[in-house]
Each structure stands twice: as structure tokens, then as C-alpha cells.
């Protein structure tokens, strides 16, 4: 029995299906939309560049052509005192753009990318390498790193919309003048053309342009692997209180492989990690969960040391310091074992927004991507960002 409402979603999908926009047109719209700039290498001394086909080298600032080449065998790119060296060619600029033509493939350290490549030399004589690409192709390079391409299509489509929305949110909040997102876990992991799979590409094409909004603003569409019973209220982690991110009961991820976990650690190792981050703990003798929030996740932990000092550490900070993939979630019990401790936990990830394994089991039960998204982001609407971009302030 489906227990949640679809009312908010129906009119929008009548509109979208009624407008009969083809996938080709949608990809053309994407190309005219603001591109995503992804930092794929930061602060490197050199990297390997290869272009299998014609390309131009442009002045990053003025866009004037500095060179027109037929192809480039794999060559080292290095910063020089007064410019950037690509193989035997030297460009007297600190910022250049590689613009492939006729869909020539570009390879950075043997990984294939679509779109353009910006190479920027910083004041420390290191290079920043940025892939500039349209939003749809960016999401194609993200999805395989987030979920399996073998999952049911509706779950992949839900993930595509969440990832596209999160990308737009990141673009609106970018702090760097040269890139919007990183290609690692600090944004969404992105592997370029090399990471694209047939079924994840289909999911991107069938949801092209669709994003989640709340009150006409792009939603920070957080997602995570497994919530293990209740998604987290965003206010517990970040300075945000949006109604679609306040947490829901999720009974769909019970069979997730990440539903429960156990981690055994030496107390000495925990002491060392905390002290590396500025604490001054003596030998830890006891740890105790003090408080949990309504989603069941730990808000505070009390740590006792051999000098009988007691320190309160927030659950979020404790997990960040010990390691978010060591302590996989903030929902666990502490079982003291002498010089060791067992953490017996449930779920994987921060728990906010879409529960990926919940989405997987929902799709296997026949739920569609819009139903999955309305369940995990209640009150959010799905809109077409290419149609609505003026209103969404993009
Ligand atoms: Zn869940």
C-alpha cells in the first residue's frame, strides 16, 4: 500500500509529458545552458594530455586562438616560469583552454572526457585542470560512481534527478572563480566519459533537465547510501531547515547490505585521532552515548580519560574525526571491550535526503522515480530547469 501523496507531482508531469520534447532537443537545450566546471586535478605539478582529433588552444580570458592542432599524442603538461608547456609546445599564458573539435576525445591521465579542458597555473606554479561540460553529460559521468548501472531504471532516474539538482545547487554556491564542483567525494564523484554506462546514460536522457525545487528554489538534494529506518533532519548537520529535508520514516532499506555494520577499534587509535585534531585526551577509559536526536542518530558522546576528566564531543564531529567510512553512520551503540571498543551501527552515510538503497527497493516494488523522490523529499516539486531557468535564478 502506498502511503504518501503524489498530488504535488501530477500537474507537473502532465505538463512535461504534454509538451512532447524530444531527447535530442533536450540535449540541445542542455548545451545552451550554463555549463558545469569540474576541477578534475588540483595543485598538480604535471599531468598527461592526449587529444584524439583536431583541437584549438585558446587564451582562457580573451578566447583568441593560440594554436590549431590536428591531434596530440600523449604528452606531459607542465607549468613553466612564464606559461604552460604541452609536450614541445610552449604557451606564454597562465590560463589556456583546450577546445576539441569534431567531437575529438580528450584524455587526462588516460581518462576520457567530453567537453573542454581549462588549464590554469596558480601562483605556486601548480596546475588546476577543469573540465567544462554541459549539465547532462556531467551527470552521465557521475551516476556510475553513485549507484550500480544494474539497478532498476526508476531508481537510477531518481538518482539522476537528485544528482542534477545537487549539481545546480553547487553551481549556485561555488566559491572558486574557476570551477563549480570537484570530481571527488567533496562534491559528487565524477569520472568523465570513461565512467559512462549504457543504462545510467538512458536514465539521464529520460530525465533530462528535471530537477527538484522547493518554493521555486533549487533544493540541496542531499542523498546517502542507507538510512536504516529514518532519514536525518538536515538541521542536525548543517545550517538549513528546509521542510523536504527534515527526515522521513523509511522501511524500504531493511535489506540493504549496509543496514547494519560493526567496527572494532583500539581506544588508543581513537585518542590519537582526536588529539591530532586539537583535543588533549589522556588514555580513554570509557565512552558513552549521551543523547540521540529523534531520527535515532547520536548527538553527543561522553569520553572519560584515566585522569577522570570527562569531555563531551558531538556525534557529528566524532564521526568526522574518526573517519566517516570507519564509523559509517551516526547511528550506533558503543560496546566497551577493555582497551578496545565495538561500534555496532546501522546505515551508511549522513542520512539526509534520498536513501539510495531505499530507492532501490522502492523501484523493485514498482514505484516510479517521481514517487521515490516525493517520498524522500516531501513537498519538493520536479521542474524542468531548461524551461524555468529564469525563474530559478540560474
Ligand atoms: Zn532508508
Amino acid at each position: 500500500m502506498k502511503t504518501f501523496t503524489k498530488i504535488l507531482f501530477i500537474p507537473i508531469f502532465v505538463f512535461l509529458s504534454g509538451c512532447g520534447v524530444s531527447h535530442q532537443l533536450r540535449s540541445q537545450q542542455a548545451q545552451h545552458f550554463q555549463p558545469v566546471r569540474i576541477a578534475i586535478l588540483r595543485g598538480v605539478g604535471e599531468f598527461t594530455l592526449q587529444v584524439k582529433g583536431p583541437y584549438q588552444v585558446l587564451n582562457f580570458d580573451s578566447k583568441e586562438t593560440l594554436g590549431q592542432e590536428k591531434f596530440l599524442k600523449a604528452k606531459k603538461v607542465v607549468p613553466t616560469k612564464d606559461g604552460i608547456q604541452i609536450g614541445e609546445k610552449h604557451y606564454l599564458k597562465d590560463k589556456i583552454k583546450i577546445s576539441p573539435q569534431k567531437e575529438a576525445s580528450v584524455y587526462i591521465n588516460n581518462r576520457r572526457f567530453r567537453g573542454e579542458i581549462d588549464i590554469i597555473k596558480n601562483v605556486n606554479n601548480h596546475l588546476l585542470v577543469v573540465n567544462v561540460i554541459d549539465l547532462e553529460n556531467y551527470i552521465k559521468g557521475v551516476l556510475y560512481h553513485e549507484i550500480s548501472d544494474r539497478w532498476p531504471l526508476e531508481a537510477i532516474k531518481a538518482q539522476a534527478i537528485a544528482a542534477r539538482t545537487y549539481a545546480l545547487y553547487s553551481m549556485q554556491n561555488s566559491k572558486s572563480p574557476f570551477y563549480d564542483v570537484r570530481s571527488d567525494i567533496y562534491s559528487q564523484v565524477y569520472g568523465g566519459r570513461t565512467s559512462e554506462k549504457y543504462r545510467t546514460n538512458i536514465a539521464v536522457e529520460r530525465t533530462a533537465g528535471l530537477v527538484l525545487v522547493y518554493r521555486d528554489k533549487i533544493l540541496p538534494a542531499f542523498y546517502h547510501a542507507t538510512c536504516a529506518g529514518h532519514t536525518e533532519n538536515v538541521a542536525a548537520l548543517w545550517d538549513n531547515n528546509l521542510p523536504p529535508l527534515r527526515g522521513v520514516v523509511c522501511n524500504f532499506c531493511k535489506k540493504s547490505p549496509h543496514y547494519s555494520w560493526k567496527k572494532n577499534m583500539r581506544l588508543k587509535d581513537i585518542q590519537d585521532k582526536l588529539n591530532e585534531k586539537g583535543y588533549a585526551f589522556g588514555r580513554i577509559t570509557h565512552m558513552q552515548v549521551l543523547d540521540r536526536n529523534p531520527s535515532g542518530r547520536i548527538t553527543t558522546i561522553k569520553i572519560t580519560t584515566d585522569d577522570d576528566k570527562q569531555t563531551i564531543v558531538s556525534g557529528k564531529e566524532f564521526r568526522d574525526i574518526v573517519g566517516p567510512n570507519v564509523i559509517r553512520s551516526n547511528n550506533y551503540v558503543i560496546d566497551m571491550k577493555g582497551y578496545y571498543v565495538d561500534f555496532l551501527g546501522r546505515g551508511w552515510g549522513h542520512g539526509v535526503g534520498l536513501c539510495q538503497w531505499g530507492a532501490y527497493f522502492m523501484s523493485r516494488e514498482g514505484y516510479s522515480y517521481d514517487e521515490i523522490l516525493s517520498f524522500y523529499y516531501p513537498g519538493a516539486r520536479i521542474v524542468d530547469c531548461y524551461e524555468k531557468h529564469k525563474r530559478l535564478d540560474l
Side-chain angles (χ1 to χ4, degrees):
M1 194 58 198
K2 299 176 187 182
T3 54
F4 52 89
T5 176
K6 296 196 297 179
I7 291 167
L8 277 172
F9 283 71
I10 291 167
I12 294 147
F13 278 87
V14 168
F15 163 72
L16 288 173
S17 56
C19 63
V21 179
S22 73
H23 296 320
Q24 285 82 357
L25 178 58
R26 319 273 305 145
S27 86
Q28 280 170 17
Q29 286 174 323
Q31 283 161 23
H32 291 108
F33 194 68
Q34 182 186 349
V36 191
R37 302 170 302 164
I38 311 114
I40 50 176
L41 296 172
R42 296 162 70 242
V44 296
E46 63 170 48
F47 69 95
T48 306
L49 175 68
Q50 184 179 11
V51 189
K52 293 187 177 174
Y55 67 99
Q56 285 185 324
V57 181
L58 306 174
N59 180 342
F60 176 88
D61 295 311
S62 70
K63 305 292 182 291
E64 73 174 298
T65 305
L66 304 173
Q68 170 76 54
E69 312 293 341
K70 288 199 174 114
F71 63 92
L72 181 73
K73 287 184 181 171
K75 298 283 183 188
K76 285 261 180 284
V77 180
V78 293
T80 64
K81 194 159 61 66
D82 47 6
I84 295 167
Q85 181 97 25
I86 302 178
E88 300 79 32
K89 303 227 165 166
H90 188 232
Y91 298 94
L92 285 165
K93 299 286 172 203
D94 288 344
K95 301 195 278 295
I96 56 174
K97 183 183 273 293
I98 305 294
S99 182
Q101 297 173 325
K102 297 179 187 166
E103 305 209 356
S105 304
V106 180
Y107 292 75
I108 307 282
N109 289 345
N110 292 322
R111 187 165 271 280
R112 185 175 165 194
F113 291 92
R114 299 176 190 261
E116 296 180 323
I117 303 291
D118 294 341
I119 305 171
I120 291 149
K121 189 180 83 165
N122 69 18
V123 286
N124 300 321
N125 221 31
H126 284 111
L127 297 172
L128 167 68
V129 182
V130 176
N131 186 199
V132 183
I133 188 172
D134 75 71
L135 181 59
E136 299 306 316
N137 282 325
Y138 167 65
I139 300 303
K140 286 180 177 178
V142 162
L143 278 194
Y144 179 66
H145 294 279
E146 295 298 341
I147 50 169
S148 168
D149 62 319
R150 296 179 187 175
W151 278 19
L153 205 57
E154 293 304 304
I156 305 178
K157 283 154 80 177
Q159 176 67 61
I161 293 172
R164 186 182 294 109
T165 308
Y166 192 76
L168 279 192
Y169 176 77
S170 304
M171 288 161 74
Q172 287 178 338
N173 292 280
S174 167
K175 302 266 190 301
S176 165
F178 300 117
Y179 61 87
D180 305 306
V181 294
R182 290 165 57 165
S183 61
D184 55 21
I185 54 162
Y186 291 95
S187 299
Q188 305 184 89
V189 178
Y190 166 72
R193 173 73 184 85
T194 301
S195 297
E196 293 181 18
K197 303 285 173 197
Y198 176 74
R199 292 185 76 251
T200 48
N201 280 3
I202 296 239
V204 174
E205 284 160 15
R206 292 195 185 164
T207 62
L210 300 186
V211 293
L212 291 152
V213 295
Y214 180 72
R215 294 194 170 162
D216 275 347
K217 282 203 158 58
I218 292 289
L219 187 75
F222 297 108
Y223 55 89
H224 60 280
T226 297
C227 77
H230 201 302
T231 63
E232 177 66 302
N233 185 340
V234 68
L237 298 177
W238 297 294
D239 184 20
N240 186 321
N241 193 25
L242 287 167
L245 301 173
R246 287 184 185 164
V248 296
V249 173
C250 167
N251 289 316
F252 292 104
C253 59
K254 283 187 176 140
K255 291 183 184 163
S256 160
H258 311 305
Y259 191 80
S260 63
W261 53 268
K262 179 179 172 181
K263 180 69 188 175
N264 176 266
M265 288 189 78
R266 260 175 15 127
L267 290 172
K268 178 74 171 70
D269 292 339
I270 294 171
Q271 178 192 337
D272 289 348
K273 286 192 174 194
L274 288 163
N275 288 348
E276 274 170 27
K277 295 288 177 183
Y279 282 97
F281 279 104
R283 189 172 66 80
I284 295 173
T285 52
H286 195 69
M287 296 199 302
Q288 183 192 345
V289 173
L290 268 194
D291 207 4
R292 292 174 188 272
N293 69 21
S295 83
R297 292 176 178 82
I298 293 169
T299 44
T300 49
I301 293 172
K302 185 167 76 178
I303 301 176
T304 309
T305 45
D306 59 353
D307 50 5
D308 266 348
K309 248 172 57 184
Q310 295 183 329
T311 309
I312 312 288
V313 180
S314 85
K316 177 178 185 291
E317 187 183 11
F318 185 78
R319 180 171 173 240
D320 285 346
I321 290 176
V322 177
N325 286 329
V326 177
I327 295 182
R328 290 182 160 193
S329 73
N330 220 352
N331 186 356
Y332 53 85
V333 294
I334 295 174
D335 188 7
M336 299 301 295
K337 304 255 177 184
Y339 291 113
Y340 290 81
V341 57
D342 277 345
F343 297 100
L344 305 158
R346 299 201 315 183
W348 194 351
H350 51 60
V352 181
L354 177 89
C355 165
Q356 290 171 321
W357 276 93
Y360 168 81
F361 285 106
M362 283 185 85
S363 61
R364 286 199 32 185
E365 287 182 28
Y367 290 93
S368 60
Y369 71 89
D370 51 318
E371 291 172 322
I372 293 168
L373 293 169
S374 72
F375 177 71
Y376 287 111
Y377 303 107
R381 293 190 307 135
I382 299 175
V383 299
D384 178 344
C385 68
Y386 303 136
E387 298 286 337
K388 302 268 185 184
H389 63 282
K390 288 193 183 76
R391 275 189 68 198
L392 294 174
D393 195 24
L394 298 170

